[in-house]
Amino acid sequence: MSSIRLADLTTNWSGVDSTTPDGHTLVTGLDSAGHLRVCLYRGGTPSDSGFRGSLLIPPDGHDQRFLPTRTTAYGPCGAFVTSVGDHTSMLARLANHHPRSEDTRNADF
């Protein structure tokens, strides 16, 4: 898994709500595989360069082995971050991640 491009999302909603970390924007929609995502972007307007990560929200009661059974956070490069906590805490963890370099191969996740 890699960064989720805005062009690859079927957007359902974009904006700020009570779960949004300060200085960030959310976009909810379906990714290219048809999975529900809540994507976090740095700044007031979503852009591919501001992508901070996403929450994958699996369908209830699914039987697909490759999907998690509960909401899971993934970093900007697609690496697993956490499935512990509520949406607000997972989004905060993504927002507070600071890659050591703009080269995402050197990012912590």
Side-chain angles (χ1 to χ4, degrees), residues 1-12 27-39 51 54-57 66-67 74:
M1 183 185 312
S2 60
S3 180
I4 299 171
R5 295 177 343 123
L6 279 167
D8 295 334
L9 281 175
T10 302
T11 302
N12 296 328
V27 173
T28 62
L30 300 177
D31 65 16
S32 59
H35 300 126
L36 181 59
R37 297 273 184 171
V38 176
C39 296
F51 181 68
S54 69
L55 304 183
L56 171 61
I57 304 176
F66 63 90
L67 283 177
Y74 294 94

Side-chain angles (χ1 to χ4, degrees), residues 75-77 79-81 97-101 103-109:
C77 295
F80 171 83
V81 175
H97 172 68
H98 300 288
R100 292 183 294 263
S101 166
D103 179 354
T104 55
R105 290 175 296 178
N106 293 326
D108 291 336
F109 55 83

Side-chain angles (χ1 to χ4, degrees), residues 8-47:
D8 295 334
L9 281 175
T10 302
T11 302
N12 296 328
W13 178 83
S14 171
V16 175
D17 66 12
S18 62
T19 67
T20 311
D22 288 341
H24 291 76
T25 304
L26 299 177
V27 173
T28 62
L30 300 177
D31 65 16
S32 59
H35 300 126
L36 181 59
R37 297 273 184 171
V38 176
C39 296
L40 181 67
Y41 296 89
R42 182 180 55 241
T45 303
S47 68

